[in-house]
Amino acid sequence: MSLLVLLQDVVQAAVDLAPLATLGAALGAAIAVIGAGLGISRIGSSTMEAMARQPEIAGNAQTSMIISAAFIEGVAFFALVVCMLIAL
């Protein structure tokens, strides 16, 4: 089997799997967004509960919550970009 025939087979296999890659990218993006939403909502609810129990830590807890939510959002955005690159 020559190298050219082998390369043609590889290209044909990649073309046949393109719709599955798009589907996988869409599912990955959906999971990333859902996970980020759940994570940020859990951080928010825990912070509100902590501020209700100890009002004097409200400033520190709110700052920590915003920083944590920003990190989660950044990771989710990175995951979306990777999924979009796979889909193209």
Side-chain angles (χ1 to χ4, degrees):
M1 186 180 275
S2 72
L3 185 60
L4 184 59
V5 174
L6 183 61
L7 288 175
Q8 287 174 344
D9 289 342
V10 169
V11 169
Q12 185 60 38
V15 169
D16 291 342
L17 294 177
L20 292 178
T22 305
L23 178 65
L27 288 175
I31 291 170
V33 169
I34 290 171
L38 290 174
I40 291 172
S41 66
R42 186 161 182 179
I43 288 171
S45 69
S46 297
T47 303
M48 296 302 275
E49 185 176 326
M51 287 190 298
R53 290 177 187 216
Q54 293 180 336
E56 63 274 3
I57 66 157
N60 291 337
Q62 189 174 13
T63 303
S64 297
M65 176 190 72
I66 291 172
I67 291 171
S68 300
F71 283 137
I72 291 173
E73 192 173 339
V75 170
F77 184 68
F78 179 73
L80 287 175
V81 168
V82 169
C83 289
M84 293 302 160
L85 288 175
I86 290 172
L88 296 177

